Amino acid sequence: MPQQVDQEPSGVTGDEVGATAVFASRDPRNAAVLAEYRVDGVAEVNRAVERARGAAQWWEGLGFDGRKRWLLSWKSAIAADAQSLAEVIAAETGKPAGDALLEVMLAVEHLDWAARNAGKVLGRRKVPSGLVSANQEATVRYQPLGVVGVIGPWNYPLYTPMGSISYALAAGNAVVFKPSELTPGVAVWIAEKWNSLVPNQPVLQVVTGFGDTGTALVRSGVDKIAFTGSTPTAKKVMATCAETLTPLVAECGGKDAMLVCADADLDQAADFAVFGAFGNAGQTCVGVERIYVADKVFDNFVQKVVAKTRRLRPGGGADASYGPMTMERQTEVVRGQIADALGHGATAALGGPDSIREPYIEPVVLTDVPEDSSATCEETFGPTVVINRMADLDDGVAKANAVGYGLGASIFTRDQRRALDAAERLRSGVVTVNSVLGFAAVPALPFGGVGESGFGRIHGADGLREFSRAKSVTRQKYRAPMNLLTMERKARDMKIAAWLLKTRHGRG
Ligand code: NDP
């Protein structure tokens, strides 16, 4: 029997909840209904944001230390019950239990970092006041925005939105979270865990439903939207944000390239390639979708990747290499891209159109795919990978940079200097050298994309500042010997100012 989840945020009575419609979350492995959730409309979303306003005041008033204590308690509660959360993640996405648990681990690392570092990053600090303003004490601190609306995807239904939620909360904001319609249970689980600790302060609430619920959240008067999802949806969200000048951080799709140089450790590179391309059934925004390999080692590398990929077993069990396509309609995108690549002269080194056996897709390795094929330039979000040739690293960088997306990239070479030089030239928010996804568990590193992959940063100090506004204060310590901020400026002071200007800045 499907379970009707009681998802009322703390402090809300049943009477206040006016939603009539419900929707079901399903296990993508067998379509079984897991639970039902409300379709929250404009009124419910607005009420949640209103409640969040009150809670935000309490939360801000706690200061960094007070918030840190609550956030670390929440973290401990999540970690202590990680298995149960991982079960919800696995059921709603279909991913293997181990992958789900790893997701919890990563999310908890970020929450811990955000809680512990918010005070240091955002607290008031002195900045140099400069020679001309030596009589002023200059300080800056970062204040919370108020209420942040978080809109999340389904592929990493915990790790991804928590990259916004943890940092927004640590910065002193209340959060209203709209999860993907495919993974509402994960969102409700974390909100309930919060409510079990702080039942009277709805600092974190969840609203559920479809795209319209997301639109209602964008229009609700929140102080910022943190969106993670596809690029086309980000454009719609941005247009809605424009109606009210609501600021937006947009974490969107990717088409990440891996560059494999002739001097690379090919076994290691092949191992990472297979993990980056097929882990989570390729449904990873920073998954490896394109691989450019030096001509000289191309055949050898392809052989190694194919040999490792052959061993993968997609399925619904805990021991599966990866699970099903979580979102049914993404299968058609994968089918279309395979057909497009093969229709334009690509080779299927492993698998092909017959690899699609819904809800699973066996791994597909395509080689020598034309650079203008949809498989090479559009996000696939499925267990296929394109392996093409590069003349040298410069050629690889040029090919990697030739698409509109710019989220992540990786380079495999033994030459660290060349790798770091190429990393500078790659048009992406993050680069890993001799590994893939190496940044995901480094909370201090900001994460985000360029171009079609979005803008703004989550994680790290930049992620904390993304959910804050700078407040600058100058305090006059003593009267300036040369006072220019007066309507009765002295000729002598102006003479000194003119001399200073020329001496300090006018000498080539
Ligand atoms: P979608 O863009 O389909 O949806 C993202 C979220 O937006 C969902 O909660 C969705 O709700 C909601 N939404 C849909 N329409 C609107 C609207 N008009 N206004 C407001 N909200 C709306 O993405 P997916 O969930 O399919 O996620 C996959 C995508 O996410 C991929 O492109 C992937 O690359 C990207 N992604 C990016 C990451 C990053 O950090 N850069 C990380 C993870 C994923 P509903 O589901 O109910 O329709």
Side-chain angles (χ1 to χ4, degrees):
M1 263 300 275
Q3 182 194 356
Q4 175 76 51
V5 174
D6 171 13
Q7 45 176 127
E8 290 166 17
S10 56
V12 188
T13 66
D15 296 337
E16 284 174 316
V17 179
T20 46
V22 294
F23 68 104
S25 75
R26 290 174 187 273
D27 186 327
R29 293 168 290 198
N30 51 23
V33 171
L34 298 167
E36 287 184 334
Y37 298 88
R38 295 182 317 229
V39 179
D40 285 322
V42 172
E44 291 78 36
V45 171
N46 286 346
R47 271 204 293 269
V49 173
E50 213 176 290
R51 284 190 299 269
R53 290 248 167 256
Q57 282 181 14
W58 170 77
W59 187 234
E60 181 179 2
L62 290 181
F64 292 112
D65 287 341
R67 290 196 292 271
K68 180 163 104 181
R69 277 195 290 278
W70 280 119
L71 290 172
L72 292 180
S73 302
W74 187 40
K75 176 203 76 167
S76 303
I78 293 172
D81 208 3
Q83 202 59 44
S84 125
L85 177 54
E87 278 164 23
V88 183
I89 295 173
E92 288 193 329
T93 61
K95 67 177 72 175
D99 288 5
L101 194 66
L102 199 63
E103 190 176 336
V104 179
M105 198 182 109
L106 287 177
V108 161
E109 287 297 331
H110 278 273
L111 174 55
D112 184 75
W113 192 93
R116 291 183 193 281
N117 287 278
K120 199 163 64 192
V121 173
L122 305 175
R124 186 164 292 287
R125 65 184 159 84
K126 278 191 184 176
V127 296
S129 45
L131 184 66
V132 176
S133 306
N135 67 321
Q136 302 280 353
E137 180 194 69
T139 60
V140 61
R141 85 164 182 105
Y142 292 83
Q143 295 178 319
L145 302 174
V147 180
V148 173
V150 174
I151 299 177
W154 47 263
N155 60 335
Y156 291 91
L158 178 72
Y159 173 72
T160 292
M162 283 294 279
S164 296
I165 293 169
S166 303
Y167 292 80
L169 290 175
N173 304 281
V175 167
V176 178
F177 173 29
K178 149 69 179 85
S180 163
E181 72 204 51
L182 301 181
T183 52
V186 175
V188 168
W189 193 102
I190 56 168
E192 283 182 347
K193 197 55 93 182
W194 174 265
N195 290 339
S196 71
L197 300 173
V198 199
N200 300 317
Q201 296 292 349
V203 170
L204 171 63
Q205 297 172 82
V206 168
V207 291
T208 49
F210 303 98
D212 284 350
T213 307
T215 304
L217 182 58
V218 180
R219 288 206 173 111
S220 65
V222 290
D223 300 286
K224 185 154 194 167
I225 287 288
F227 171 83
T228 309
S230 66
T231 304
T233 308
K235 290 177 184 174
K236 288 188 206 159
V237 169
M238 194 168 174
T240 311
C241 281
E243 293 170 10
T244 46
L245 221 55
T246 301
L248 169 71
V249 46
E251 302 291 347
C252 313
K255 190 72 189 172
D256 287 13
M258 170 193 269
L259 310 181
V260 183
C261 297
D263 70 343
D265 176 336
L266 291 189
D267 287 308
Q268 190 193 47
D271 201 47
F272 276 120
V274 173
F275 175 73
F278 301 109
N280 204 33
Q283 303 166 123
T284 302
C285 55
V286 279
V288 175
E289 297 218 346
R290 302 176 286 157
I291 309 179
Y292 293 103
V293 187
D295 246 336
K296 214 167 112 186
V297 294
F298 184 84
D299 293 337
N300 194 1
F301 180 78
V302 171
Q303 268 173 26
K304 286 178 189 293
V305 168
V306 168
K308 285 176 190 290
T309 306
R310 264 188 216 291
R311 297 201 283 270
L312 301 182
R313 294 284 170 267
D319 58 344
S321 314
Y322 60 81
M325 297 300 284
T326 306
M327 186 169 68
E328 224 177 316
R329 65 173 187 274
Q330 195 65 23
T331 302
E332 289 319 305
V333 174
V334 177
R335 197 193 304 278
Q337 291 196 4
I338 295 172
D340 188 71
L342 296 179
H344 287 88
T347 303
L350 183 72
D354 294 342
S355 303
I356 298 173
R357 288 191 232 133
E358 290 174 81
Y360 301 99
I361 301 183
E362 303 277 344
V364 177
V365 179
L366 300 166
T367 58
D368 295 311
V369 183
E371 290 299 319
D372 61 352
S373 160
S374 60
T376 321
C377 46
E378 287 167 22
E379 186 176 47
T380 311
F381 231 55
T384 75
V385 70
V386 166
I387 312 184
N388 280 353
R389 295 162 203 271
M390 65 180 190
D392 53 24
L393 190 52
D394 287 347
D395 181 41
V397 169
K399 284 174 168 155
N401 288 349
V403 300
Y405 291 109
L407 198 52
S410 53
I411 305 167
F412 285 77
T413 173
R414 289 190 163 89
D415 185 337
Q416 299 303 311
R417 195 191 52 75
R418 275 178 74 215
L420 293 176
D421 170 63
E424 290 297 316
R425 290 181 287 124
L426 279 162
R427 184 179 160 275
S428 67
V430 59
V431 176
T432 53
V433 177
N434 292 332
S435 82
V436 294
L437 294 155
F439 53 86
V442 185
L445 276 178
F447 177 76
V450 299
E452 296 272 306
S453 292
F455 50 84
R457 292 294 178 265
I458 55 171
H459 303 172
D462 297 73
L464 287 165
R465 290 193 196 105
E466 190 72 56
F467 299 108
S468 318
R469 62 171 70 92
K471 173 58 79 68
S472 302
V473 175
T474 54
R475 183 180 65 81
Q476 176 163 299
K477 293 184 289 185
Y478 52 85
R479 284 168 75 99
M482 178 182 76
N483 190 4
L484 301 175
L485 306 180
T486 170
M487 302 304 278
E488 294 160 17
R489 242 179 251 141
K490 294 197 176 79
R492 182 191 70 106
D493 287 352
M494 278 314 294
K495 214 164 146 188
I496 297 173
W499 175 82
L500 259 180
L501 172 64
K502 209 166 175 180
T503 317
R504 268 169 62 73
H505 301 293
R507 289 185 179 163

